[in-house]
């Protein structure tokens, strides 16, 4: 067993190539084989979001604070509130981020593929896609 102290791992900023707006990432876990688990606390400033992307084994998002958005390709965005869990199927294009006027943070959990592959990134989410009316 081990305890990794918060101060041992500085907060990173999300790369402009894969995020719109200002996003902060705190690593929680990068599993060592045979684990393929990865967990990251992600904090989005208002209006910030990921680019379109997919995960080989899907992803689970646990909403910790604020108000967010989760959108699967071909569907309207859904609001995420504290305590909500968003579940994204394998190899499904989607984006997630903050609401336009609120901070948002989620714990993102996913596994790499059997071949070690990780997230596949696509285009940035346009303002029109981002501001589309949310479904409940
Ligand atoms: Mn995702």
């Amino acid at each position: 067993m081990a305890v990794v102290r918060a101060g041992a791992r500085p907060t990173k900023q999300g790369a402009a190539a894969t995020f719109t707006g200002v996003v902060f990432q705190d690593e929680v876990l990068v599993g060592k084989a045979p684990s393929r688990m990865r967990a990251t606390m992600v904090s989005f400033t208002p209006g910030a979001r990921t680019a379109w992307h997919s995960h080989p084994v899907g992803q689970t998002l646990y909403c910790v604070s604020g108000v967010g958005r989760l959108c699967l390709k071909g569907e309207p965005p859904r609001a995420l509130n504290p305590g909500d869990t968003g579940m994204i199927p394998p190899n499904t294009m989607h984006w997630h981020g903050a609401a336009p006027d609120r901070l948002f943070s989620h714990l993102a959990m996913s596994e790499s593929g059997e071949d070690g592959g990780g997230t596949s990134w696509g285009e940035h989410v346009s303002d029109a896609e981002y501001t589309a009316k949310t479904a409940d």
Side-chain angles (χ1 to χ4, degrees):
M1 115 165 237
V3 174
V4 180
R5 300 297 176 190
R9 297 186 292 191
T11 297
K12 297 175 182 170
Q13 190 163 339
T18 49
F19 292 90
T20 296
V22 178
V23 177
F24 296 105
Q25 300 165 309
D26 287 306
E27 180 183 299
V28 176
L29 174 68
V30 177
K32 295 190 173 86
S35 172
R36 295 187 280 125
M37 183 176 173
R38 178 181 282 266
T40 309
M41 268 295 302
V42 187
S43 300
F44 298 87
T45 57
R49 67 266 192 182
T50 68
W52 287 101
H53 65 285
S54 66
H55 309 280
V57 194
Q59 185 179 43
T60 301
L61 303 177
Y62 180 71
C63 176
V64 175
S65 67
V67 180
R69 297 281 186 271
L70 167 62
C71 183
L72 304 188
K73 195 82 176 179
E75 300 181 5
R78 311 270 305 264
L80 286 179
N81 293 290
D84 292 348
T85 299
M87 294 176 177
I88 299 144
N91 299 310
T92 300
M93 291 300 280
H94 68 283
W95 59 266
H96 30 110
D101 53 359
R102 290 296 299 247
L103 294 167
F104 177 61
S105 66
H106 64 46
L107 178 63
M109 296 165 278
S110 63
E111 296 168 77
S112 55
E114 290 183 352
D115 62 357
T119 303
S120 297
W121 290 99
E123 299 291 311
H124 281 93
V125 174
S126 70
D127 287 344
E129 290 170 323
Y130 175 67
T131 57
K133 183 172 168 48
T134 56
D136 286 338

